[in-house]
């Protein structure tokens, strides 16, 4: 039960951040790692890849309605959280986008990425309020995602 309370608090803190305007580009790296403008497609592809993972995770979580469905969804959720971690690690290798590339990516997919993150937050918030339906398996599966924030 203690884990459930802690995880619920983490999700409630994390979910609003997911709904805020989110820059879909890779995390910052040293300035000398800035990519040339020709690499804008790589940054957009990386952001789209991560967004696809988030959409898959949201779809898996939307199946959760009770303890049994939470337990059933846990293996898929765990798989998707691991995939998101791997995609994020790959995205970091791109380095920091230039301001021009950042603007191009935001123009191309910023609104869709923001909506995707908002949708995930809206799916997770009531689930957290219900203590993840007392599913230890689901809480364990989702915990690494919460630590990413």
């Amino acid at each position: 039960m203690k884990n459930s309370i802690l995880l619920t608090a983490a999700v409630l803190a994390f979910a609003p951040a997911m709904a805020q305007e989110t820059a879909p580009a890779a995390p910052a790296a040293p300035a000398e790692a800035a990519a040339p403008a020709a690499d804008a497609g790589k940054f957009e592809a990386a952001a789209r890849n991560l967004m696809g993972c988030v959409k898959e995770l949201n779809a898996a979580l939307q199946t959760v309605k009770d303890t049994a469905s939470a337990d059933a969804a846990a293996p898929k959720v765990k798989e998707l959280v691991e995939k998101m971690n791997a995609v994020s690690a790959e995205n970091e290798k791109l380095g920091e986008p230039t301001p021009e590339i950042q603007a191009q990516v935001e123009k191309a997919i910023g609104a869709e990425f923001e909506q995707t993150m908002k949708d995930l937050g809206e799916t997770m918030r009531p689930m957290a309020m219900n203590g993840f339906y007392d599913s230890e398996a689901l809480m364990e599966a989702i915990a690494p995602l919460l630590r990413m924030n």
Side-chain angles (χ1 to χ4, degrees):
M1 183 63 159
K2 183 178 178 185
N3 286 343
S4 176
I5 292 169
L6 293 175
L7 196 55
T8 299
V11 168
L12 292 176
F14 181 66
M18 292 189 302
Q20 293 176 358
E21 287 191 36
T22 306
E32 62 270 13
D39 289 340
K42 290 180 184 177
F43 283 95
E44 183 177 337
R48 286 188 184 281
N49 193 11
L50 183 59
M51 183 171 55
C53 292
V54 173
K55 286 179 178 184
E56 285 182 74
L57 177 62
N58 192 37
L61 290 172
Q62 287 178 346
T63 68
V64 176
K65 306 296 181 207
D66 54 26
T67 304
S69 60
D71 289 342
K76 182 66 173 176
V77 169
K78 180 179 180 181
E79 173 189 323
L80 291 168
V81 169
E82 290 171 354
K83 181 178 176 183
M84 286 175 66
N85 284 335
V87 167
S88 292
E90 278 298 309
N91 289 356
E92 287 180 22
K93 293 177 184 177
L94 292 175
E96 182 179 349
T98 63
E100 294 81 14
I101 290 174
Q102 180 74 23
Q104 287 176 343
V105 173
E106 287 178 9
K107 182 178 180 183
I109 67 166
E112 183 182 2
F113 196 93
E114 182 180 342
Q115 185 62 50
T116 298
M117 296 306 290
K118 181 179 178 186
D119 292 347
L120 180 62
E122 289 173 359
T123 298
M124 289 182 65
R125 196 171 301 114
M127 194 176 305
M129 296 291 291
N130 285 304
F132 293 89
Y133 301 101
D134 296 322
S135 171
E136 289 292 325
L138 183 59
M139 286 187 277
E140 288 175 17
I142 202 93
L145 175 68
L146 301 177
R147 287 191 291 267
M148 285 174 56
N149 191 34

